[in-house]
């Protein structure tokens, strides 16, 4: 089985526990690396061609405009191979996935793919992202998501390990 961890994450200024803080690595990137340590799977970072600003409020404006205008950024890279299993990570923005994740999924060959979503948030859980994934990838199997509140994300290793074990057991 060919598997991969694909994730979108924003480093720089982010909202954590209701406060704007500077993060060297975004919360979703931290979780993606934790999953990689547990699973030994390769990482694929979902990155827009145009880099988002570090300034949190400018970044929010851009992501809100993308949503309002129904636009999707072009990405720096796409998957060129078929994967049987993808751990898909992203933060919850405006009640769903960032538009860069939409771009990634629109280009994905979803035939016979199992998608394990993991979502970081500051209290918004996963919103409509699961429905959006199912709409964009109607042929994929979507497993139970891992939803992690950004507060103390580094303390979530046991929850991450259990979720990865459950996902690989359910599909392996």
């Amino acid at each position: 089985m060919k598997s991969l961890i694909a994730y979108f994450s924003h480093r720089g200024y982010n909202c954590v526990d209701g406060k704007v803080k500077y993060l060297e690595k975004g919360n979703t990137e931290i979780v993606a690396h934790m999953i990689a340590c547990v699973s030994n799977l390769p990482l694929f970072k979902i990155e827009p061609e145009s880099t988002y600003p570090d300034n949190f409020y400018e970044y929010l404006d851009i992501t809100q405009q993308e949503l309002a205008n129904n636009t999707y950024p072009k990405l720096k890279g796409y998957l060129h191979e078929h994967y049987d299993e993808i751990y898909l990570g992203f933060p919850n923005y405006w009640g769903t996935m960032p538009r860069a994740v939409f771009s990634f999924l629109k280009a994905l060959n979803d035939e016979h793919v199992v998608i394990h979503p993991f979502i970081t948030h500051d209290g918004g859980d996963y919103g409509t992202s699961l429905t959006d994934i199912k709409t964009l990838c109607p042929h994929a199997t979507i497993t139970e998501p891992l939803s992690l509140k950004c507060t103390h994300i580094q303390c979530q290793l046991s929850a991450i390990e259990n979720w990865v074990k459950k996902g690989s057991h359910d599909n392996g």
Side-chain angles (χ1 to χ4, degrees):
M1 178 179 281
K2 193 166 184 174
S3 303
L4 174 80
I5 302 163
Y7 70 94
F8 173 85
S9 192
H10 180 255
R11 62 174 286 285
Y13 289 95
N14 281 286
C15 186
V16 178
D17 207 17
K19 297 178 183 143
V20 177
K21 296 180 181 178
Y22 185 83
L23 302 175
E24 286 293 326
K25 286 184 178 180
N27 286 309
T28 307
E29 183 173 4
I30 292 168
V31 175
H33 282 272
M34 292 168 88
I35 293 170
C37 286
V38 170
S39 65
N40 293 317
L41 295 176
L43 293 162
F44 177 85
K45 186 171 185 178
I46 300 169
E47 296 181 88
E49 281 184 353
S50 299
T51 305
Y52 290 117
D54 276 354
N55 180 292
F56 179 68
Y57 298 104
E58 290 175 19
Y59 176 61
L60 281 184
D61 285 344
I62 291 169
T63 60
Q64 192 169 34
Q65 287 173 14
E66 287 175 348
L67 182 63
N69 296 331
N70 201 29
T71 57
Y72 305 92
K74 289 185 179 181
L75 303 180
K76 287 183 180 178
Y78 295 88
L79 296 181
H80 299 292
E81 302 174 50
H82 179 77
Y83 287 86
D84 304 302
E85 179 180 56
I86 297 174
Y87 288 83
L88 179 65
F90 52 87
N92 176 343
Y93 288 168
W94 316 112
T96 190
M97 307 173 289
R99 302 309 265 187
V101 178
F102 277 82
S103 296
F104 173 81
L105 290 174
K106 285 175 151 215
L108 181 70
N109 173 1
D110 68 334
E111 290 288 327
H112 309 291
V113 174
V114 176
I115 298 175
H116 305 284
F118 61 99
I119 298 102
T120 58
H121 58 87
D122 202 32
D125 210 16
Y126 45 82
T128 64
S129 58
L130 298 180
T131 302
D132 294 335
I133 293 170
K134 289 175 186 174
T135 300
L136 291 165
C137 300
H139 305 297
T141 300
I142 315 302
T143 65
E144 186 69 30
L146 175 65
S147 175
L148 297 168
K149 192 163 186 220
C150 293
T151 307
H152 309 296
I153 206 91
Q154 291 85 353
C155 300
Q156 302 288 337
L157 184 58
S158 65
I160 292 166
E161 287 174 336
N162 290 335
W163 179 73
V164 169
K165 286 177 188 170
K166 183 180 186 299
S168 62
H169 174 71
D170 289 348
N171 300 292

